[in-house]
Amino acid sequence: MNTTNLAPIPELYVSYESAQKLRVDAGNLISWDLTPRQICDLELLMNGGFNPLKGFLSEADYHSVVEDMRLANGALWPIPITLDVNAGFAEALEPGQDIALRDQEGVILATMTVTDRWTPDKAREAEKVFGANDDAHPAVNYLHNTAGNVYLGGPVTGIQQPVHYDFKARRDTPNELRAYFRKVGWRKIVAFQTRNPLHRAHQELTFRAAREAQANLLIHPIVGMTKPGDVDHFTRVRCYEAVLDKYPQATTTLSLLNLAMRMAGPREAVWHGLIRANHGCTHFIVGRDHAGPGKNSAGEDFYGPYDAQDLFRTHEAEIGVEMVDFKHMVYVQEKSQYFPANEVSKDDTVLDISGTELRRRLSEGLDIPEWFSFPEVVTELRRTRPARSKQGFTVFFTGFSGSGKSTVANALMVKLMEMGGRPVTLLDGDIVRKNLSSELGFSKEHRDLNIRRIGYVASEITKNGGIAICAPIAPYATTRRAVREDIENFGAFVEVHVATSIEECERRDRKGLYKLAREGKIKEFTGISDPYDVPASPELRLETENVDVDNCAHQVLLKLESMGLISGRN
Ligand code: PPS
């Protein structure tokens, strides 16, 4: 029997003694503070999860991966693992220089010898790797709006693993998992990748997969970074632990993978297979729409539902794990059992609850039937996501100076306070600039910083069950989207475009600022000498001309009610 999946694989860590010395020496190096995504990538580079990579990709490897899904030496590798930095940091480096890589608390995790430095063609990367240069794709959005503009490449020397305080006993490096499989005598292991809570359909699917492959089962969920808006990993892991008891003892194990997903569909499936091969698995489940990012900006799916299976099949031998492909699982009422969608007959009554429908039922506190999920899982989900009328949320007004944002925001605040139930905080543009952002001006960089601060405070308020009302100009769509993504992790984000025209704002000129802007005495004035991206699809657009404030605030209340955020029971 082939047992190469059980032998240790190479890691990038130095010995304990060398690490002590290297840590001291590295204190003198120029250092880069890793982003959350880079920390995930570094962990899997160092522990062998990304074997055969020896560091962040060189320029030659990067181009080859983008164009052909292969490293320059021909080895299959579908996703660019690059160290993106800002131009200022990159320019200060000499070729061949060592840098220290630090986590967000400043702990040195590794050093890297910078052999390559280049400015990537991000549009090309998006087209080739993600299939479209469309910001509706979360990884393309990240590429253009979060990632730095310069990439650094070079080998990494590992000093220590990133620190995790949560679920330590459930986290395993590839070699730890291999050692576990050796110890318990598992030879065939089928891995199940997931970024969602497990429901009965998943359990049935994984059961069947293990049976088909005559293998043991590794539930291998992602706890690094998943799609914005997903259920947080704390909740999910509690759900997985509850479901683990439903599997026959000693057939199944659970291990957490600190991967930063890219949602790259077919390429991502191949990547996931390679990573599972490194973790000692022999089989890998690829279901419908594996690692799918949702709809593109034209409202169509980025990838076909079985594209991932097709690409995986083409490369199966090289990946080194066998694919167990599955169709979508559905519940057949007459048989009280789950079946793959292609195995049900015409006369069967098929029941299914989509992800969207599940979220709706959770958010409205509606019934979730036993055939769909386990009571323990539903209880966990309800604990984290109470009905929408009990969650925190953010109302984010955006519009020109003098459009009426603050006035409507104030009226809304008072109406919400009158209703009671949740604390309300107003983060008005002027108030924030006085209290949080007094040192900032109106350059793009400063405006972005200002909005990110507002977003941060609003997300904390939302997380803790309060209502945040924000009323800055917030002229840039990408920054508003970033704030939305932060907040939607915890509750609803309601974007309200106060659509008063620039002509009307200038005519009103309440603060006399438009006059000064026209005279050139105020530079970079939004709508006059600085841009404003009109929101493409806000939750609500308010026309304020000839409409009184009370009515505007009332329109917002109606919107909140229609979204289930306020109810009579509040
Ligand atoms: S931003 O772009 O969102 O960071 O702006 P914001 O924090 O909302 O601040 C806008 C208020 O600052 C005053 N002001 C200016 N606005 C736009 N452009 C320039 N150059 C500028 N200089 C000062 C203006 O009074 C804005 O207040 P509001 O409440 O929007 O009228």
Side-chain angles (χ1 to χ4, degrees):
M1 179 174 287
N2 181 2
T3 53
T4 50
N5 64 315
L6 301 181
I9 55 162
E11 298 184 347
L12 306 183
Y13 291 113
V14 292
S15 68
Y16 178 79
E17 291 73 25
S18 308
Q20 302 311 311
K21 183 172 178 309
L22 190 55
R23 183 177 292 116
V24 175
D25 296 348
N28 299 318
L29 299 175
I30 290 187
S31 57
W32 174 252
D33 295 337
L34 296 157
T35 63
R37 186 164 104 172
Q38 291 168 347
I39 293 176
C40 292
D41 287 352
L42 180 65
E43 177 169 343
L44 283 150
L45 279 171
M46 294 194 295
N47 71 18
F50 286 169
N51 182 51
L53 304 193
K54 301 290 178 228
F56 288 97
L57 293 189
S58 67
E59 186 173 3
D61 281 334
Y62 166 77
H63 288 299
S64 180
V65 166
V66 169
E67 300 298 325
D68 303 319
M69 276 194 8
R70 292 182 181 282
L71 300 174
N73 67 10
L76 183 69
W77 192 267
I79 299 289
I81 306 298
T82 47
L83 189 73
D84 58 283
V85 299
N86 56 54
F89 181 82
E91 272 156 26
L93 299 177
E94 302 286 340
Q97 185 170 346
D98 284 351
I99 59 171
L101 301 178
R102 294 178 188 260
D103 73 9
Q104 298 198 312
E105 269 85 53
V107 176
I108 301 178
L109 302 177
T111 63
M112 168 174 157
T113 305
V114 181
T115 55
D116 295 60
R117 170 179 61 189
W118 73 103
T119 303
D121 178 347
K122 291 187 175 181
R124 176 89 187 158
E125 181 180 332
E127 283 289 349
K128 297 295 290 185
V129 179
F130 304 111
N133 188 21
D134 180 342
D135 276 7
H137 192 298
V140 176
N141 179 44
Y142 184 96
L143 182 63
H144 288 305
N145 300 314
T146 305
N149 286 330
V150 180
Y151 289 174
L152 303 178
V156 157
T157 305
I159 296 177
Q160 71 163 71
Q161 298 192 33
V163 183
H164 300 288
Y165 296 108
D166 56 334
F167 306 114
K168 276 173 185 275
R170 294 275 186 210
R171 295 176 185 266
D172 303 284
T173 67
N175 281 327
E176 283 166 348
L177 267 187
R178 284 169 176 244
Y180 174 76
F181 298 149
R182 277 199 304 273
K183 185 171 172 186
V184 292
W186 291 7
R187 292 291 172 268
K188 282 186 177 182
I189 300 104
V190 56
F192 180 60
Q193 135 88 35
T194 183
R195 42 171 265 267
N196 287 309
L198 291 187
H199 302 298
R200 287 189 197 271
H202 303 108
Q203 199 210 15
E204 184 57 37
L205 184 150
T206 50
F207 256 152
R208 280 175 175 251
R211 208 163 52 218
E212 255 177 46
Q214 296 189 334
N216 289 91
L217 178 65
L218 169 68
I219 300 172
H220 210 195
I222 305 300
V223 295
M225 292 171 74
T226 62
K227 202 174 145 195
D230 281 348
V231 176
D232 69 273
H233 80 268
F234 297 102
T235 308
R236 284 191 288 113
V237 176
R238 291 195 297 270
C239 292
Y240 302 137
E241 287 183 332
V243 177
L244 203 55
D245 293 342
K246 318 275 175 202
Y247 287 91
Q249 254 191 351
T251 62
T252 304
T253 193
L254 166 68
S255 179
L256 309 180
L257 182 63
N258 199 42
L259 177 71
M261 288 181 74
R262 311 309 207 244
M263 310 309 299
R267 277 201 187 217
E268 180 117 0
V270 171
W271 189 41
H272 288 175
L274 290 165
I275 294 167
R276 272 34 182 245
N278 285 330
H279 283 79
C281 302
T282 54
H283 295 71
F284 182 58
I285 300 172
V286 184
R288 186 182 179 281
D289 194 26
H290 188 98
K295 307 264 183 230
N296 64 19
S297 44
E300 291 149 6
D301 288 335
F302 275 93
Y303 315 116
Y306 297 106
D307 286 1
Q309 292 183 355
D310 294 343
L311 190 71
F312 200 107
R313 197 170 291 114
T314 318
H315 297 286
E316 201 170 24
E318 261 183 295
I319 296 169
V321 294
E322 249 177 71
M323 174 169 70
V324 185
D325 53 345
F326 263 101
K327 297 277 183 268
H328 185 52
M329 299 291 289
V330 291
Y331 186 75
V332 176
Q333 194 172 29
E334 290 82 2
K335 299 183 181 137
S336 299
Q337 230 187 321
Y338 276 91
F339 290 93
N342 58 334
E343 285 179 24
V344 292
S345 74
K346 284 199 305 307
D347 310 323
D348 290 336
T349 314
V350 166
L351 302 180
D352 196 13
I353 292 183
S354 67
T356 315
E357 173 61 11
L358 175 65
R359 278 191 291 279
R360 187 187 75 83
R361 289 184 185 215
L362 282 171
S363 73
E364 293 179 22
L366 301 173
D367 179 51
I368 294 163
E370 281 241 4
W371 62 261
F372 178 76
S373 195
F374 305 96
E376 299 90 329
V377 171
V378 175
T379 307
E380 272 306 335
L381 293 177
R382 286 203 203 280
R383 259 188 358 149
T384 325
R385 279 270 154 146
R388 267 193 151 184
S389 61
K390 305 249 176 323
Q391 283 174 26
F393 64 88
T394 292
V395 182
F396 193 96
F397 290 93
T398 165
F400 292 120
S401 169
S403 57
K405 302 181 300 289
S406 311
T407 323
V408 180
N410 264 297
L412 176 69
M413 176 176 71
V414 173
K415 283 176 190 289
L416 287 169
M417 288 168 81
E418 184 186 341
M419 294 168 91
R422 284 174 283 204
V424 190
T425 304
L426 177 59
L427 297 163
D428 185 42
D430 282 337
I431 302 174
V432 169
R433 282 198 173 260
K434 242 182 237 133
N435 296 300
L436 274 183
S437 294
S438 56
E439 85 287 16
L440 299 182
F442 288 88
S443 63
K444 175 167 190 318
E445 195 191 347
H446 277 194
R447 287 180 197 260
D448 280 350
L449 201 53
N450 182 40
I451 300 306
R452 295 305 294 251
R453 286 179 188 171
I454 295 175
Y456 173 72
V457 176
S459 74
E460 287 294 311
I461 292 170
T462 304
K463 180 166 82 184
N464 291 302
I467 301 174
I469 305 176
C470 314
I473 298 178
Y476 300 109
T478 50
T479 325
R480 294 194 299 257
R481 175 173 170 167
V483 169
R484 175 187 288 274
E485 286 178 359
D486 285 351
I487 287 168
E488 284 182 344
N489 286 324
F490 308 113
F493 179 83
V494 186
E495 187 176 29
V496 181
H497 176 211
V498 184
T500 319
S501 67
I502 190 74
E503 294 77 17
E504 173 66 10
C505 294
E506 188 167 3
R507 203 181 50 71
R508 293 180 190 167
D509 203 5
R510 293 235 165 79
K511 301 179 184 165
L513 296 175
Y514 283 91
K515 181 166 172 293
L516 295 176
R518 285 287 177 206
E519 290 167 5
K521 292 184 183 147
I522 304 181
K523 306 270 182 266
E524 301 174 313
F525 197 84
T526 307
I528 304 293
S529 45
D530 219 48
Y532 178 80
D533 302 338
V534 174
S537 44
E539 274 70 14
L540 181 67
R541 210 182 294 281
L542 280 182
E543 305 294 341
T544 64
E545 291 164 48
N546 306 320
V547 184
D548 65 37
V549 177
D550 212 35
N551 182 275
C552 288
H554 199 68
Q555 287 183 52
V556 182
L557 278 185
L558 287 177
K559 185 75 210 172
L560 298 179
E561 202 170 0
S562 76
M563 292 173 75
L565 294 166
I566 50 177
S567 71
R569 277 167 278 118
N570 249 13

